[in-house]
Every structure is written in structure tokens, then in C-alpha cells.
Amino acid sequence: PPAGPIRLGRNACYVVLAVLFNEEDRVLLVQEAKPECRGRWYLPAGRMEPGESIVAAMRREVKEETGLECEPLTLLALEERGPAWIRFAFLARPTGGTLKTLEEADAESLQAAWWAGDPCALPLRALDILPLLDLAARYRRGPPHPPTLPRELPCALLCLRLLVAFANDAGDLWVLLGTAGTPHLPVVACGMSPAELRGGLRLPVLRLLRDCLPPDPHPGPLGLLGLQHRAGGPGGADGICFNVLLSIPPGSPGAAAPPEPCGPAFRWWHVEEESLRGRILQRLRTVGTVPIRS
């Protein structure tokens, strides 16, 4: 685990970004005022400040850069460059305010506009917003996952709570549990060493699986089911706990049961309750999670 609690501005940077559409399906873009990208266009985005919740930071950035009030609808993606830099991309809707004009230009932005055409026709600050615009358009056509927003619960560290699932061809489902104390979903903490920072959120997950499952597992991609964060958590910490889903593929074609854990620290729980089994299988089969982009 990290040597100390996660603190914004000291050992972590969280960024928020929002995609908004109006009733004419135009996307909200801002013209940058920062010297290094002045005059270029981008989605409303910026760094979280200490003491802010994730949603409050998103609303503040949209208000400062565009003049509009907004309400979050769902997380579209979680983007990370290791645990020290994480960006939360939201789909949101406007709820009020007045669009910022050139006469109101300040250090936050020059102006905001509802753009109907191809964003690539504009001089963009960066092309990394294009995949997010595609995600937003697909979500509006047919949501691949339920609305997902942060829960305000404290967490001192940056960690992942793992729903590791194995499903066979017959539709049977198992979930990996830790056995210390009351059986629980495994939780792994993200360290802040150079190796951990380079490896991103997936590295501690792979380390845990390699320690408990033979042979060396090759799990599917991480998908975000939810997350918890509270501004000013224990000791003023800005930690986050991500609830992530990943699947373990069969070690051999048609395997009927998951691989046996290496020791007593973990065991597989056979999910027999139909409603719960159906919900987890649906998420696995439809990739019904918020994507985590590294």
C-alpha cells in the first residue's frame, strides 16, 4: 500500500471532464484561454481541488468554462495513467445558466459554443476527446450499462474491490472470495512506487491473481461497476475505492469449474441465487460496465 494517505496536489491528480448535448444534439465545447493552447477547442475539463467531491468538481468546471449549470447522468469512462493521474469522464445534461461569450472571456476559457458539425473541423486542443464523444453518442442511443455515479463514502487509500467471476458454458457462475474473517470480495491497494505508477490500476489486480490462481491467469479487461469517494475523508485523505468486474477465462476449452486457488486465503463461491447470478452474467456478457482506459 502507499506510505501515506492519497492527497490531491501532493501525490495524486484527479481530473473531471463532461460531455453535454442540447436538444438539437449539439455538443458543448469550450475555447481554451491557457497560453499553451489558447484559441483551441476542447470539452469542459479541469483538475479537482482538495475538499471537492468528484461531481462537485465536474459541475464547477462546467460552470467556470461554459457559464452553464449541469447535472451528471453517468460516468462514461475512467481514464488513468497510473494511480497518480485519473480522469473521470461524465455524460451530463444542462440545467440552467447562460452560455459564455467572448465578452466574458477570462482565465478559465475564452467562450463556449454548441457545436453541430464534426469536431475535427475545429482546431482541437487534443484528439483524446473523440473516443469520449463516440462513447457518449453510443450511450445515448442505447446505454450499455446502468447510470453509474460516485457514492460519497470515505476511503483513505486508492484501491480496487474486485468482483472476479468465472462462468462456464452452461451458465454456472462462481465469484472469488477472500476467506480472512467474514468472506468478502478481495480488495487490493494501489502503491505509488514508480513501477506501480507505470503499471496502472491493472498491476495490483494481476499481482493478486498470480498469487492465488494457477496457472498464470489472463483475465479479461477491467470494467467499472462503481466507485466511492468522499472529499476530506479519513485524515483529510482523497482516496477512492473502485469496484471493478473482471472475468477469468477457462484454463481449457469447455472447463466446467474455475481453477482451484493456490491456498486457503481465497475460495470460489458458487452463485446459486437466480437474480444475482443473472445480473452478474448480464454484465459479463454485454460488457455492461464503465470502461477503464489506460
Side-chain angles (χ1 to χ4, degrees), residues 6 67 74 132 145 156 165 194 202 216 248:
I6 300 295
T74 186
L132 296 175
H145 57 80
R202 193 171 175 84
D216 193 10
I248 299 295

Side-chain angles (χ1 to χ4, degrees), residues 103-193:
E103 289 72 27
E104 300 166 300
D106 56 21
E108 299 295 335
S109 66
L110 299 179
Q111 63 176 324
W114 293 107
W115 182 253
D118 182 353
C120 290
L122 294 170
L124 296 177
R125 170 181 146 190
L127 299 180
D128 63 343
I129 63 172
L130 298 180
L132 296 175
L133 292 174
D134 288 341
L135 276 178
R138 292 204 298 271
Y139 192 94
R140 295 175 78 216
R141 289 194 300 267
H145 57 80
T148 305
L149 294 172
R151 298 293 184 96
E152 290 208 13
L153 294 169
C155 186
L157 304 178
L158 200 147
C159 58
L160 299 98
R161 182 181 291 111
L162 308 177
L163 181 55
V164 181
F166 177 93
N168 63 19
D169 294 339
D172 296 312
L173 177 71
W174 289 262
V175 168
L176 190 68
L177 296 181
T179 58
T182 303
H184 59 278
L185 294 177
V187 177
V188 291
C190 296
M192 305 299 284
S193 69

Side-chain angles (χ1 to χ4, degrees), residues 170-173 269-282 285:
D172 296 312
L173 177 71
W269 172 50
H270 187 211
V271 183
E272 297 180 338
E273 200 276 311
E274 284 297 321
S275 176
L276 177 60
R277 184 176 68 88
R279 293 200 302 273
I280 296 174
L281 286 175
Q282 182 182 28
R285 290 168 178 168

Side-chain angles (χ1 to χ4, degrees), residues 73-76 90 139 145-150 224-227 283 290:
L73 299 174
T74 186
L75 273 168
L76 281 175
F90 287 89
Y139 192 94
H145 57 80
T148 305
L149 294 172
L224 186 68
L225 291 166
L227 61 98
R283 293 289 191 108
V290 176

